[in-house]
Amino acid sequence: MAKSKAKRLREKLEREGKMNPDVKRSPFVFADMRTRTTKTKKDYLYKNKYKNHYSKEGNDGSFYFTDKWTYF
């Protein structure tokens, strides 16, 4: 990959013995400052709001109908 113009300028300043601007950067630049929260009960409930509600017993409201007298 090519070097950016800013990176080339920083390297040039460093070669000439001048101060590199990277040194002055705050350590918080690299920290992820976003807050993360766990999902609430409402979030879990609304996740399946419009989907077919699945239950472990199989009583999810769907059915499969076959005509046992018809053979193909």
Side-chain angles (χ1 to χ4, degrees), residues 14-56:
E14 210 170 12
R15 276 196 314 268
E16 292 174 352
K18 297 179 183 173
M19 186 171 181
N20 188 351
D22 283 343
V23 178
K24 293 193 279 185
R25 282 192 184 152
S26 170
F28 294 104
V29 171
F30 304 106
D32 187 12
M33 303 301 282
R34 292 176 290 182
T35 57
R36 291 183 171 89
T37 58
T38 57
K39 289 188 175 182
T40 62
K41 184 178 179 181
K42 291 273 186 186
D43 291 335
Y44 285 114
L45 289 174
Y46 290 141
K47 183 178 176 184
N48 296 326
K49 186 174 182 180
Y50 296 109
K51 295 181 183 176
N52 194 4
H53 301 288
Y54 175 75
S55 67
K56 293 182 182 175

Side-chain angles (χ1 to χ4, degrees), residues 1-13:
M1 287 179 55
K3 291 182 184 178
S4 67
K5 189 173 182 180
K7 185 171 183 177
R8 275 189 249 125
L9 183 61
R10 288 194 303 268
E11 288 175 350
K12 181 181 177 187
L13 289 172

